[in-house]
Amino acid sequence: KAARLARAEATATLKRIAADGALTDAWCRSLVREGADVGAVFADVEAAAKMLDSPWTKDKFHCVGFLALAAPHAAAASIVEAVRRRGSASSSVSNIAKEVDATLKRRGLPEPRGWRMLMPQQDVSNDTEEWTALHKAVCDCDVARVREIIEAGNVYVDQWSSTG
């Protein structure tokens, strides 16, 4: 009974600091060690929205990343909802989503509904040889070759990315 009470208290504290935006990596790890139910925190719409929307610091990025990997399916569902509401994902959320995607696959967990829409580039290899060929075609101003490489689907080119 005492353990259940401690777990409930740790979960409530984690929800509160997530909703307040006062996340620190050390505090999050401590509460998880005390038994906080991370999935419940991501399931709390208000706390999850605050975690994924408020301004990002390095400490918050590490904390949310740690929490997301502790409960990847719940985190993925929250990320899908946050992106649906917001219309886009910040670079921090995108980076966390990539780690969550790898964790879901590694653990054999199901993807939440809408997850593939966020992670289309994960199905593409983006190997160095293809990127080198694309770079050469761009440098040579060979528009037909650039189109051919991109349409072949061996590289993912994000139209909004400044790096490719």
Side-chain angles (χ1 to χ4, degrees):
K1 185 173 177 170
R4 204 170 340 141
L5 186 60
R7 182 179 164 99
E9 186 177 323
T11 302
T13 301
L14 186 56
K15 279 184 184 181
R16 190 172 55 254
I17 65 171
D20 291 344
L23 294 168
T24 64
D25 193 37
W27 204 358
C28 288
R29 289 175 188 269
S30 174
L31 291 168
V32 169
R33 276 192 304 275
E34 290 175 22
D37 182 353
V38 178
V41 176
F42 278 109
D44 182 312
V45 176
E46 182 183 323
K50 186 72 170 189
M51 274 194 304
L52 298 170
D53 280 345
S54 60
W56 289 91
T57 63
K58 185 177 179 181
D59 201 37
K60 178 184 174 187
F61 178 76
H62 288 278
C63 175
V64 174
F66 172 76
L67 295 174
L69 296 181
H73 191 267
S78 291
I79 290 169
V80 168
E81 181 59 21
V83 170
R84 185 191 66 74
R85 285 182 175 187
R86 212 171 161 218
S88 65
S90 68
S91 62
S92 293
V93 170
S94 293
N95 287 331
I96 290 170
K98 288 175 188 172
E99 292 299 321
V100 167
D101 189 56
T103 301
L104 289 171
K105 289 176 182 172
R106 190 171 49 254
R107 293 183 187 173
L109 296 171
E111 299 168 348
R113 194 177 160 140
W115 185 248
R116 279 293 108 205
M117 297 301 291
L118 296 178
M119 307 304 294
Q121 70 274 23
Q122 295 299 308
D123 296 331
V124 179
S125 69
N126 278 343
D127 67 29
T128 305
E129 189 176 310
E130 291 293 333
W131 275 107
T132 302
L134 179 61
H135 184 261
K136 183 179 181 331
V138 169
C139 290
D140 293 344
C141 297
D142 187 345
V143 177
R145 178 71 178 131
V146 169
R147 181 175 291 123
E148 176 187 322
I149 292 168
I150 292 171
E151 288 176 355
N154 293 327
V155 294
Y156 173 77
V157 180
D158 181 352
Q159 65 177 342
W160 306 111
S161 172
S162 61
T163 60

